[in-house]
C-alpha cells in the first residue's frame, strides 16, 4: 500500500463525511428516514460489484466474521438511532462536544481488545484534538433537565459508533472490503427499517429534491466517507479512524463557508487549530501502524 495513496483517500473520506451536515440541511425528511435511505442506496450501489467480484468470499464467510459484521451493522444502526433521539432533547452543539469522546473510547477499546500501546505524545495529541472538538461546540452546550437525557443519549451514540469501528478493525483484517461493507450496511439497514416501521415513518411521501439528497448522502458521506474509512482499517486502527473523524466538524465549517458564506468565529478557529494539531501529533508519534497489501 502506497502511503501517499492512503493519506489522499483518508483526506477524501474526511471531506466526504463533512458533507453530511450540509446535505441533511437540504431535506426536511425525518432523520431516521435519511439514515435508512442513506444505507438503502449504499447497499444498492455496492450489491452488484460485490456479487460480481466477491461472490465466493461473500458466501463462504466464516461464522465469527459473519456475526461480527452483523453486530457492527447493528451498532451502527443503534448509533444513528441514539444520535437522532439525542437531538430531540439537546442542542447540536452539545452532541458535537460529546461525539468528540470517540477517540477516548477507541483508545480504551484498542488497549482492551487489541493490546495496543500508545506513545505519550500520541495521547497528548488525542487529548488536544478532543479539547478542540469541545471548544467548537461548547458555546451552545446545554446540561440539566431534559437536555441531560439528550446528552446521555449523545454520549451513548458516540460509544456505539466506537464499538462499530472496533468490530470493523477485527473483521477487516480477515475480510475484503466489499463483502464486509455489504454485510454491515445491510444489517444496519434492516435494523433501521424496523425502527421506522415501529414509529410509523412514511417511506415514500417525499419530494424529488429529497430523493436526490438521499442518493447523494449515500454516495458522498457513506461510500466516499464511511466506506473508505472501513477500507483503511486494513492498515490503521479504529482509534486512528476516530481521531480522523474529528476533522468532520472542521470540514463542515469550511463547506458551509464556501456554500453558504457562513462566517467562522474565533472559537471555531481555535477549536479547528487544536483538532489539526492534535491529529498531527497523534499520527506523527503513534507507532505501530503497519501497512499491508489490500485485496479489493
Amino acid at each position: 500500500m502506497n502511503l501517499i495513496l492512503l493519506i489522499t483517500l483518508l483526506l477524501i473520506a474526511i471531506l466526504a463525511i463533512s458533507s453530511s451536515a450540509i446535505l441533511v440541511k437540504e431535506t426536511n425528511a425525518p432523520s431516521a428516514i435519511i439514515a435508512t435511505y442513506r444505507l438503502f442506496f449504499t447497499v444498492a450501489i455496492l450489491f452488484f460489484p460485490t456479487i460480481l467480484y466477491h461472490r465466493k468470499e461473500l458466501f463462504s464467510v466464516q461464522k465469527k466474521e459473519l456475526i461480527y459484521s452483523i453486530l457492527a451493522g447493528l451498532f451502527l444502526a443503534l448509533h444513528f438511532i441514539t444520535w437522532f433521539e439525542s437531538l430531540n432533547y439537546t442542542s447540536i452543539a452539545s452532541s458535537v462536544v460529546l461525539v468528540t469522546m470517540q477517540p477516548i473510547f477507541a483508545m480504551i477499546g484498542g488497549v482492551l481488545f487489541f493490546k495496543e500501546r500508545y506513545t505519550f505524545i500520541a495521547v497528548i495529541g488525542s487529548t488536544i484534538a478532543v479539547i478542540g472538538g469541545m471548544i467548537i461546540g461548547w458555546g451552545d452546550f446545554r446540561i440539566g433537565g431534559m437536555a441531560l437525557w439528550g446528552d446521555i443519549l449523545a454520549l451513548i451514540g458516540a460509544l456505539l459508533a466506537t464499538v462499530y469501528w472496533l468490530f470493523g478493525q477485527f473483521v477487516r483484517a480477515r475480510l475484503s472490503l466489499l463483502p464486509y461493507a455489504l454485510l454491515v450496511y445491510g444489517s444496519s439497514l434492516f435494523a433501521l427499517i424496523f425502527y421506522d416501521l415501529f414509529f410509523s415513518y412514511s417511506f415514500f411521501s417525499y419530494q424529488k429534491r429529497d430523493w436526490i439528497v438521499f442518493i447523494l448522502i449515500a454516495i458522498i458521506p457513506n461510500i466516499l466517507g464511511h466506506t473508505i474509512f472501513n477500507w483503511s482499517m486494513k492498515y490503521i486502527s479504529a482509534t486512528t479512524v476516530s481521531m480522523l473523524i474529528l476533522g468532520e466538524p472542521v470540514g463542515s465549517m469550511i463547506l458551509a463557508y464556501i456554500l453558504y458564506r457562513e462566517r467562522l468565529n474565533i472559537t471555531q478557529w481555535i477549536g479547528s487549530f487544536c483538532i489539526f494539531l492534535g491529529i498531527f501529533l497523534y499520527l506523527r508519534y503513534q507507532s505501530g501502524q503497519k501497512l499491508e497489501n489490500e485485496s479489493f
Side-chain angles (χ1 to χ4, degrees), residues 42-55 178 182:
T42 299
V43 169
I45 291 168
L46 296 181
F47 180 80
F48 289 106
T50 304
I51 295 299
L52 185 62
Y53 296 107
H54 293 276
R55 179 173 60 256
L178 290 180
L182 191 64

Side-chain angles (χ1 to χ4, degrees), residues 134-147:
M134 295 177 71
I135 288 172
I136 289 176
W138 193 261
D140 296 317
F141 188 81
R142 298 182 201 160
I143 195 166
M146 292 306 294

Side-chain angles (χ1 to χ4, degrees), residues 177-194:
L177 172 65
L178 290 180
Y180 171 71
L182 191 64
L183 289 171
V184 170
Y185 296 148
S187 57
S188 187
L189 171 62
F190 279 111
L192 282 167
I193 287 173
F194 281 117

Side-chain angles (χ1 to χ4, degrees), residues 202-265:
S202 171
F203 286 96
F204 304 109
S205 58
Y206 302 103
Q207 304 297 317
K208 179 181 178 181
R209 182 187 186 89
D210 298 319
W211 291 105
I212 292 173
V213 170
F214 296 157
I215 294 171
L216 288 177
I217 210 167
I219 295 172
I220 303 174
N222 226 57
I223 292 179
L224 295 179
H226 267 255
T227 306
I228 288 179
F229 280 130
N230 279 318
W231 164 80
S232 73
M233 281 194 295
K234 187 90 170 181
Y235 315 110
I236 62 178
S237 69
T239 306
T240 304
V241 169
S242 294
M243 284 291 298
L244 293 172
I245 287 175
L246 289 181
E248 178 181 357
V250 181
S252 295
M253 288 187 300
I254 293 171
L255 288 174
Y257 174 77
I258 293 172
L259 297 174
Y260 304 115
R261 295 301 176 186
E262 292 185 3
R263 298 184 67 83
L264 304 180
N265 59 44

Side-chain angles (χ1 to χ4, degrees), residues 27-64:
T27 175
N28 293 319
S31 297
I33 289 295
I34 297 172
T36 300
Y37 278 114
R38 169 178 176 165
L39 291 170
F40 172 80
F41 286 113
T42 299
V43 169
I45 291 168
L46 296 181
F47 180 80
F48 289 106
T50 304
I51 295 299
L52 185 62
Y53 296 107
H54 293 276
R55 179 173 60 256
K56 184 176 180 181
E57 182 180 7
L58 181 64
F59 291 110
S60 61
V61 174
Q62 298 297 311
K63 182 179 180 181
K64 189 173 186 179

